Amino acid sequence: MNNKLFSSKIIGIGKGLPETVIKNSDLEKIVDTNDEWISTRSGIKQRRVVKAEETGTGLAVKASHDALGLAGVNPEEIDLIICATSMPDNLYPSTACEIQKELKCVNAAAFDITAACSGLVYGLNVAKSFIASGIYKNILLASVDVHSRFINWEDRSTCVLFGDGAGAMVVTRSEEEGILYVDMEADGSRGEELKIPLSGKNCPLVAQNTLKDSYVYMNGREIYKFAVNTVPVSIKKAVDKVGVSLEEVDCFILHQANARIIESIADRLKVSREKFFINLHKYGNTSAASIVIAMTEAVEEGFIKSPSLLVLSGFGAGLTWGTAVVRWNP
Ligand code: ACO
């Protein structure tokens, strides 16, 4: 039996963002808040949201189209589409199937995964594993979340934090190992701290309907503590597994939830804040999409050069968290 494991690397990335911008000053018109509070507590200045006729799928298709273009891979060469999303347009068909249809990836299997803001890192591990086993060669990993449809726009503690967006990566079999290690963890016992409960009618023959709103419920302080305590451990574990030091990492791309969280993680790791790319002031927290959107812009702006050693780290509902150590050399 051939036990050879195949190496994989990321060869294309892309982003998809809605055009509509909501500034902090716009939110002052609908809830009791102000730019100073939002900026100092989170670093967010504005976010993008979809209009009624726009969909998360549309954003993911745009990101995927760009990632395929950068990779130089044709849609029919894609063997598998994975979409990380916690807010699909439909419970079924999956967003991955919708992307398959729109981009005509006619040879691809397709499914979604749900790991909230850790979805991109979880998806990368799934992609790496499918390639390592020899089952697939080219995988499109999309990530999209449309929080604006699940926000209580009267709740100032959550409506100021989130935005809509999508990202995508093409991961392919390669001679050199580009996805060096992925750490992936969860603690389901703390799921209540960050939740979007799903509304749904019970069968009237067996139960009274007790519908709740499908809104974001968040224990902000606990999530903050969870992130700043857990993510540094995950990052340290991942770089130790690869056998590199934190100093050797060229750039850290963390889930863009809150600038204070990212700065605190940098300080706890004793790594210069300068190495942590931040673009959440423009987009807010775009959940599963934030790492790829940030990585795409970091490459476009020359913040990430090729080749570079990157740390990608996600954390969020589940609770879930994870870190990937990646060599960017597309
Ligand atoms: N504008 C003005 N005042 C506000 C607002 C607002 N938008 N929201 C809350 N406040 C008030 C509160 O009512 C409270 O007032 P009080 O003292 O009179 O009771 C005061 O501000 C302080 O509220 P806290 O919640 O204690 O503020 P905190 O300093 O903890 O900051 C924040 C809140 C920014 C949410 C912080 O806890 C945080 O960043 N948590 C992590 C959130 C996060 O990252 N979530 C997503 C991660 S996972 C995922 O991405 C799905």
Side-chain angles (χ1 to χ4, degrees):
M1 194 173 132
N2 182 5
N3 286 326
K4 175 174 162 46
L5 290 182
F6 292 96
S7 302
S8 53
K9 70 175 185 174
I10 302 164
I11 54 168
I13 50 177
K15 62 180 179 180
L17 289 152
E19 282 179 13
T20 309
V21 173
I22 296 192
K23 297 198 171 107
N24 290 348
S25 55
D26 298 320
L27 292 172
E28 291 174 12
K29 294 171 199 153
I30 58 169
V31 286
D32 180 14
T33 191
N34 55 73
D35 175 53
E36 203 263 332
W37 192 98
I38 302 170
S39 302
T40 52
R41 304 277 173 141
S42 72
I44 298 164
K45 300 297 280 183
Q46 59 179 46
R47 68 285 298 140
R48 306 274 189 101
V49 299
V50 290
K51 289 191 211 152
E53 71 278 10
E54 289 177 311
T55 61
T57 301
L59 303 180
V61 166
K62 154 81 170 70
S64 300
H65 176 270
D66 289 1
L68 286 168
L70 203 64
V73 171
N74 293 322
E76 60 272 20
E77 293 178 274
I78 294 292
D79 306 309
L80 174 66
I81 301 171
I82 305 166
C83 184
T85 182
S86 303
M87 286 146 242
D89 294 327
N90 306 295
L91 290 180
Y92 56 76
S94 68
T95 305
C97 280
E98 296 280 314
I99 296 168
Q100 190 234 31
K101 177 182 72 180
E102 294 299 324
L103 290 180
K104 301 189 174 49
C105 300
V106 290
N107 297 310
F111 60 83
D112 289 359
I113 60 167
T114 301
C117 310
S118 313
L120 187 276
V121 173
Y122 267 58
L124 197 56
N125 210 10
V126 177
K128 174 180 168 64
S129 305
F130 268 119
I131 290 172
S133 65
I135 295 174
Y136 293 126
K137 191 165 170 237
N138 291 317
I139 298 180
L140 174 63
L141 169 60
S143 59
V144 56
D145 276 316
V146 178
H147 255 106
S148 65
R149 299 215 162 114
F150 296 91
I151 287 289
N152 176 357
W153 289 99
E154 295 174 1
D155 175 9
R156 67 178 181 170
S157 70
T158 52
C159 77
V160 302
L161 298 175
F162 295 95
D164 303 338
M169 289 179 167
V170 177
V171 185
T172 194
R173 187 191 294 175
S174 64
E175 290 299 314
E176 52 176 347
E177 188 56 272
I179 304 170
L180 303 171
Y181 179 75
V182 186
D183 172 56
M184 192 167 78
E185 298 179 64
D187 180 1
S189 71
R190 299 177 69 190
E192 293 298 320
E193 283 164 9
L194 184 52
K195 190 168 184 176
I196 304 179
L198 201 57
S199 315
K201 290 197 172 183
N202 295 312
C203 169
L205 294 175
V206 295
Q208 296 254 321
N209 288 318
T210 50
L211 288 181
K212 282 201 238 160
D213 289 323
S214 287
Y215 289 147
V216 176
Y217 295 91
M218 183 178 72
N219 183 343
R221 285 196 176 173
E222 283 308 312
I223 295 298
Y224 189 98
K225 281 191 266 175
F226 150 69
V228 299
N229 287 321
T230 309
V231 177
V233 178
S234 172
I235 291 176
K236 193 71 183 59
K237 183 171 147 192
V239 295
D240 285 351
K241 285 272 186 188
V242 175
V244 294
S245 67
L246 288 166
E247 290 70 38
E248 288 174 82
V249 176
D250 296 302
C251 176
F252 295 77
I253 310 270
L254 271 49
H255 167 47
Q256 305 282 303
N258 182 319
R260 283 195 309 160
I261 290 178
I262 295 175
E263 287 161 5
S264 171
I265 290 168
D267 295 349
R268 282 170 191 236
L269 289 170
K270 299 192 172 51
V271 173
S272 164
R273 292 181 180 186
E274 302 283 304
K275 282 193 173 184
F276 288 70
F277 185 79
I278 293 184
N279 67 352
L280 59 86
H281 53 288
K282 293 192 282 185
Y283 306 122
N285 177 347
T286 55
S287 199
S290 82
I291 291 175
V292 205
I293 295 172
M295 187 171 161
T296 305
E297 294 200 342
V299 170
E300 285 167 357
E301 293 171 20
F303 193 91
I304 294 177
K305 296 186 175 43
S306 177
S308 279
L309 187 64
L310 312 179
V311 158
L312 315 178
S313 201
F315 53 89
L319 300 175
T320 56
W321 63 99
T323 297
V325 183
V326 168
R327 198 171 299 287
W328 172 249
N329 188 16

